[in-house]
């Protein structure tokens, strides 16, 4: 069953067509990868789904809901969470507070209740913390729990950002280059985590990744983009061996 | 170094981290309560002044320190809180109602003002809010029939449950009133920080883009921050006008806004403690300066000396201690706790810059 559908989506930045008549579907329960050379439009697809950009034509639907009718801050309430290519965390806050922001869509108490710290608020806070503690355990973030983001190493931030997205208990998780800049061990961890996210948590994953080793290990299906348009789609092997894909990578001199 | 063993989620939600911390704050509170017996009326008045500045500072801290929106317009909210409270009192509303109502009215106006200001960032927001402060100064003069204009207004007598609160005949009562106000505001502030709203404030401050991606409505969050901030500062402004007994447009000039901003920067942006430490500095600086000029044998007052010295202190803080006095204290405390194992570069500053300076 298809969870996310892009139908003939086009986006232009001035004269540049960043996404060109792109159609794709992501099925519930799968791990789907977007690959392609630098500047192919992969992150732009994520930003379209997050509603930071509005396409000039085409439709984007999530589980039957028209995403284009929503504001960016309404998208998470459907169960879509994401990470950013350049890590966008709340730098002056602690890891715990960052993860708790992930719970934002689950809050039910009003401003006045919160100001007075009524029992309803405390009850809700306990539930939020329970959910966040699960994520901390899952991603082994205990040592960093009360540390500010500003002092943390890159690899840890990357994991915290994924944790923040997981804390929102999404149905669809968008990961923009989860393994970029990570060491070999960290990439290995990322691979197990993505597997568990799909298997144990039942979350559908759409990711952008240059590391074809990782892609072929964790992904069910891959879509290759170049200049905003679809080049090929299929299993990791099919896409990697597709003549147009080989051509695109060699053509731009990007041997990812 | 004390290590906390956390055994339940409540550990992170509670007001105090552990018994020792709770003890320290209760001891501090006890000291504040017995203060009228320890110091004379002059210093009690100064202490009251510190608490009033701290209330105003907490309001601005919520907006600037917590939500990252710089305002140079908070003198306008102080004026609004003050005039609203006094006008209500003159209309026969008892002080105990007029005072919080003044805060609520100011909060609502603050939220309304936030709506056009939402699109502005950093320096532009600072300029727009500065314009608001200057405009309010003019408005007070123009609305003479209600505000008393340049001639000003005399604060009506304050009566709470039949008890008259007058700074000359009952300075301790005044002090306790200011203490209660600042404690209640601090409690509300803390409650917000440990709730989703407070985290949304921090999210907006640190990254609007990912705040949105987590479902935080930026416009709504900023409007709420503006409203609560204006409301708290309005309460502080009402106390300030009432404590001064006579007030006019000059009581709330834009210079006060600038002092308020300097105060929270020097105290430590983003920390409740910062508002209090900054208030102590701003309340006692004039005394220190006059003692200093006296001892230098100068008899005439030097105009602008206070603001100048304060500006200098602020620049020095921004350059050498951006986390303010409270940040400095945190470092000293960690050093003592870890002694002799503290490392010199433990607090090495990460490269940081205003979000508005960042290229997207
Ligand atoms: N906000 C923007 N304004 C103008 N052009 C943009 C903007 N964002 C992206 N682009 C352009 O759109 C194209 C696609 O960018 P995008 O970031 O989606 O690439 P990408 O596939 O994620 O590449 P990379 O692998 O380097 O992350 C690029 O040519 C980029 O310069
Ligand atoms: Mg990208």
């Amino acid at each position: 069953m298809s969870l996310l559908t892009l139908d003939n989506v086009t986006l232009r930045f001035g004269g540049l067509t960043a996404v060109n008549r792109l159609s794709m579907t992501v099925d519930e329960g799968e791990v789907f990868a977007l690959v392609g050379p630098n500047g192919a439009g992969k992150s732009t697809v994520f930003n379209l789904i997050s509603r930071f950009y509005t396409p000039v034509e085409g439709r984007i639907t999530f589980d039957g809901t028209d995403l284009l009718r929503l504001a960016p801050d309404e998208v998470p309430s459907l169960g879509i969470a994401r990470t950013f290519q350049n890590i966008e965390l709340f730098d002056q806050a602690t890891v715990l507070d960052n993860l708790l922001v992930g719970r934002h869509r689950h809050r039910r108490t009003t401003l006045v209740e919160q100001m007075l710290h009524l029992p309803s608020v405390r009850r809700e806070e306990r539930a939020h913390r329970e959910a966040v503690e699960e994520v901390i355990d899952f991603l082994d973030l205990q040592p960093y729990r009360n540390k500010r983001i500003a002092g943390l190493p890159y690899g840890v931030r990357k994991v915290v950002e994924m944790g923040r997205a997981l804390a929102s208990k999404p149905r669809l998780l968008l990961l923009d280059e989860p393994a970029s800049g990570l060491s070999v061990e960290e990439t290995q961890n990322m691979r197990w985590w993505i597997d568990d996210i799909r298997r144990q948590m039942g979350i559908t994953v759409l990711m952008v990744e240059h590391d074809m080793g990782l892609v072929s290990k964790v992904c069910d299906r891959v879509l290759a983009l170049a200049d905003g348009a679809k080049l090929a789609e299929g299993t990791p092997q099919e896409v990697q061996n597709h003549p147009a894909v080989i051509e695109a990578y060699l053509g731009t001199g990007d041997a990812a | 170094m004390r290590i906390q063993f956390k055994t339940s989620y409540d550990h992170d939600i509670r007001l105090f981290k552990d018994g020792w911390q709770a003890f320290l704050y209760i001891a501090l509170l006890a000291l504040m309560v017995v203060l009228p017996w320890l110091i004379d009326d002059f210093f009690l008045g100064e202490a009251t002044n510190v608490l009033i500045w701290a209330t105003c500072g907490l309001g601005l801290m919520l907006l600037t320190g917590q939500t990252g929106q710089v305002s140079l317009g908070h003198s306008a909210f102080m004026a609004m809180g003050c005039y609203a409270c006094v006008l209500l009192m003159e209309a026969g509303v008892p002080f105990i109602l007029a005072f919080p109502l003044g805060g609520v009215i100011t909060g609502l106006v603050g939220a309304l003002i936030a709506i056009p200001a939402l699109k502005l960032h950093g320096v532009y927001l600072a300029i727009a809010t500065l314009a608001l402060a200057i405009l309010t100064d003019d408005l007070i003069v123009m609305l003479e029939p209600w505000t008393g204009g340049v001639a000003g207004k005399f604060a009506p007598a304050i009566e709470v449950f039949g008890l008259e609160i007058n700074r000359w005949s009952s300075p301790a009562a005044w002090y306790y009133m200011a203490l209660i106000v600042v404690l209640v505001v601090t409690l509300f502030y803390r409650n917000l920080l440990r709730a989703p709203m407070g985290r949304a404030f921090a999210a907006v401050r640190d990254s609007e883009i990912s705040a949105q991606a987590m479902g935080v409505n930026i416009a709504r969050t900023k409007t709420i921050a503006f409203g609560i901030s204006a409301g708290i500062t309005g309460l502080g402004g009402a106390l300030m006008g009432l404590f001064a007994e006579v007030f006019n447009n000059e009581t709330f000039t834009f210079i006060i806004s600038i002092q308020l901003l300097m105060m929270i920067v020097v105290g430590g942006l983003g920390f409740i403690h910062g508002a209090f430490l900054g208030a102590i500095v701003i309340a006692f600086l004039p005394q220190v300066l006059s003692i200093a000029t006296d001892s230098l044998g100068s008899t005439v007052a030097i105009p602008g000396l206070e603001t100048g010295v304060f500006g200098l202190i602020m620049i020095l803080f921004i350059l050498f201690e951006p986390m303010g006095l409270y940040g400095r204290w945190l470092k000293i405390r960690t050093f003592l706790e870890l002694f002799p194992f503290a490392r010199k570069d433990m607090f090495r500053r990460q490269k940081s810059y205003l979000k508005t300076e960042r290229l997207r």
Side-chain angles (χ1 to χ4, degrees):
Chain A
M1 201 206 93
S2 77
L3 187 62
L4 176 78
T5 311
L6 273 74
D7 182 19
N8 208 23
V9 173
T10 300
L11 177 75
R12 293 195 193 92
F13 293 116
L16 176 88
T17 306
V19 175
N20 195 357
R21 297 174 158 274
L22 178 69
S23 294
M24 59 183 261
T25 59
V26 179
D27 292 338
E28 182 123 47
E30 74 175 336
V31 177
F32 192 107
L34 275 178
V35 301
N38 293 109
K42 305 176 297 290
S43 299
T44 306
V45 170
F46 274 26
N47 288 335
L48 281 164
I49 299 168
S50 299
R51 293 293 292 113
F52 293 135
Y53 303 139
T54 300
V56 286
E57 63 171 326
R59 281 166 51 81
I60 305 177
T61 53
F62 179 79
D63 195 24
T65 309
D66 182 4
L67 275 186
L68 298 183
R69 295 163 61 137
L70 301 183
D73 57 82
E74 291 167 337
V75 173
S77 64
L78 297 181
I80 300 180
R82 69 169 289 177
T83 66
F84 294 84
Q85 188 170 348
N86 298 316
I87 308 186
E88 287 279 345
L89 283 168
F90 310 122
D91 288 354
Q92 300 308 316
T94 62
V95 168
L96 189 64
D97 279 338
N98 268 270
L99 298 182
L100 282 167
V101 177
R103 302 292 303 163
H104 193 79
R105 79 180 181 103
H106 297 285
R107 80 203 182 290
R108 293 289 171 269
T109 49
T110 63
L111 180 63
V112 174
E113 286 174 278
Q114 292 179 21
M115 260 202 192
L116 300 174
H117 199 73
L118 296 184
S120 55
V121 176
R122 177 155 305 213
R123 245 189 336 265
E124 198 185 83
E125 279 300 299
R126 281 195 197 118
H128 288 330
R129 279 153 211 272
E130 211 176 310
V132 162
E133 256 5 278
E134 274 172 27
V135 173
I136 289 179
D137 281 344
F138 176 62
L139 298 175
D140 291 328
L141 285 170
Q142 294 91 344
Y144 310 104
R145 221 165 154 277
N146 293 315
K147 298 241 161 42
R148 276 185 185 221
I149 302 297
L152 293 180
Y154 181 86
V156 178
R157 293 188 202 202
K158 205 102 199 168
V159 177
V160 174
E161 204 193 17
M162 188 166 85
R164 183 179 63 184
L166 283 177
S168 79
K169 292 237 154 83
R171 292 177 66 191
L172 174 67
L173 178 63
L174 309 176
L175 299 173
D176 199 343
E177 305 204 5
S180 78
L182 297 189
S183 67
V184 178
E185 295 94 284
E186 288 168 332
T187 308
Q188 191 61 249
N189 278 337
M190 191 56 79
R191 183 204 154 174
W192 302 127
W193 282 327
I194 294 173
D195 267 344
D196 286 348
I197 287 169
R198 182 244 303 263
R199 298 230 163 78
Q200 290 174 14
M201 306 185 178
I203 297 170
T204 309
V205 179
L206 170 59
M207 62 189 240
V208 168
E209 186 51 64
H210 284 294
D211 180 343
M212 282 311 286
L214 179 65
V215 168
S216 54
K217 279 183 202 116
V218 299
C219 298
D220 304 301
R221 285 198 298 146
V222 179
L223 188 151
L225 272 182
D227 297 327
K230 187 193 306 191
L231 273 186
E233 195 179 351
T235 65
Q237 273 66 37
E238 284 167 11
V239 170
Q240 250 176 314
N241 299 326
H242 197 284
V245 175
I246 295 168
E247 158 89 45
Y249 275 100
L250 294 179
T252 58
D254 187 329
Chain B
M1 191 176 184
R2 280 165 298 111
I3 295 176
Q4 292 136 9
F5 291 98
K6 298 184 179 170
T7 49
S8 89
Y9 298 129
D10 284 355
H11 266 106
D12 286 322
I13 308 173
R14 275 184 205 134
L15 281 181
F16 304 109
K17 274 188 280 190
D18 54 21
W20 173 244
Q21 203 192 33
F23 169 77
L24 284 182
Y25 281 98
I26 289 167
L28 181 65
L29 182 65
L31 178 71
M32 306 273 280
V33 170
V34 300
L35 201 62
W37 284 278
L38 303 180
I39 56 180
D40 66 19
D41 286 355
F42 172 76
F43 279 104
L44 197 59
E46 289 303 304
T48 310
N49 198 24
V50 168
L51 296 178
I52 294 172
W53 273 102
T55 308
C56 299
L58 282 170
L60 184 59
M61 188 68 89
L62 188 92
L63 187 68
T64 305
Q66 242 58 248
T67 322
Q69 311 299 307
V70 181
S71 166
L72 283 175
H74 267 51
S75 60
F77 300 129
M78 288 167 70
M80 256 174 248
C82 182
Y83 283 100
C85 173
V86 168
L87 287 173
L88 283 169
M89 284 167 79
E90 285 176 354
V93 181
F95 172 76
I96 195 98
L97 284 178
F99 179 68
L101 262 178
V104 170
I105 292 170
T106 312
L108 292 176
V109 174
L112 271 180
I113 288 173
I115 294 167
L118 284 177
K119 291 265 174 282
L120 304 172
H121 288 262
V123 163
Y124 302 99
L125 182 62
I127 293 171
T129 47
L130 181 63
L132 173 75
I134 294 169
L135 187 75
T136 305
D137 189 334
D138 290 341
L139 270 177
I140 294 172
V141 177
M142 279 173 347
L143 297 176
E144 208 237 290
W146 296 281
T147 62
V150 182
K153 239 178 164 28
F154 286 96
I158 305 170
E159 213 189 85
V160 178
F161 302 126
L163 177 79
E164 193 184 325
I165 300 180
N166 179 291
R167 69 177 288 192
W168 307 114
S169 63
S170 52
W174 234 110
Y175 167 80
Y176 284 130
M177 177 168 77
L179 184 61
I180 290 169
V181 171
V182 83
L183 285 178
V184 169
V185 166
T186 306
L187 185 66
F188 282 0
Y189 197 125
R190 274 286 276 149
N191 284 346
L192 276 182
L193 289 193
R194 55 179 168 160
M197 201 66 225
R199 296 191 291 264
F201 289 160
V204 168
R205 174 192 66 198
D206 288 351
S207 168
E208 287 194 11
I209 196 112
S210 65
Q212 265 182 321
M214 289 294 118
V216 176
N217 181 326
I218 305 288
R220 191 165 165 266
T221 307
K222 282 189 189 173
T223 308
I224 290 173
F226 245 100
I228 298 176
S229 166
I232 294 174
T233 301
L235 293 178
L239 287 183
M240 193 173 281
L242 291 169
F243 193 61
E245 297 197 306
V246 197
F247 53 87
N248 63 1
N249 58 322
E250 293 279 313
T251 314
F252 305 107
T253 64
F254 70 91
I255 301 284
I256 300 286
S257 288
I258 296 173
Q259 282 187 334
L260 206 57
L261 187 64
M262 288 175 169
M263 180 183 117
I264 63 168
V265 170
V266 169
L269 269 183
F271 303 105
I272 291 177
H273 303 76
F276 286 88
L277 293 174
I280 292 171
V281 174
I282 206 163
F284 285 101
L285 190 73
Q287 264 80 15
V288 173
L289 280 181
S290 76
I291 293 168
T293 46
D294 281 356
S295 66
L296 288 176
S298 157
T299 44
V300 284
I302 307 165
L305 179 69
E306 236 173 78
T307 322
V309 170
F310 210 76
L312 186 70
I313 294 176
M314 185 175 90
I315 291 168
L316 291 176
F317 264 96
I318 289 176
L319 287 178
F320 300 110
E321 188 55 274
M323 282 174 61
L325 284 171
Y326 187 63
R328 171 81 355 211
W329 157 244
L330 287 180
K331 285 173 202 177
I332 294 170
R333 196 180 65 187
T334 312
F335 177 81
L336 292 176
E337 281 175 351
L338 293 180
F339 188 80
F341 300 113
R343 283 183 295 120
K344 197 158 175 264
D345 60 352
M346 199 141 59
F347 290 100
R348 211 183 49 217
R349 243 195 295 156
Q350 301 280 330
K351 180 176 163 43
S352 66
Y353 36 80
L354 285 174
K355 284 273 146 156
T356 42
E357 287 170 359
R358 192 163 72 173
L359 295 171
R360 284 203 201 275

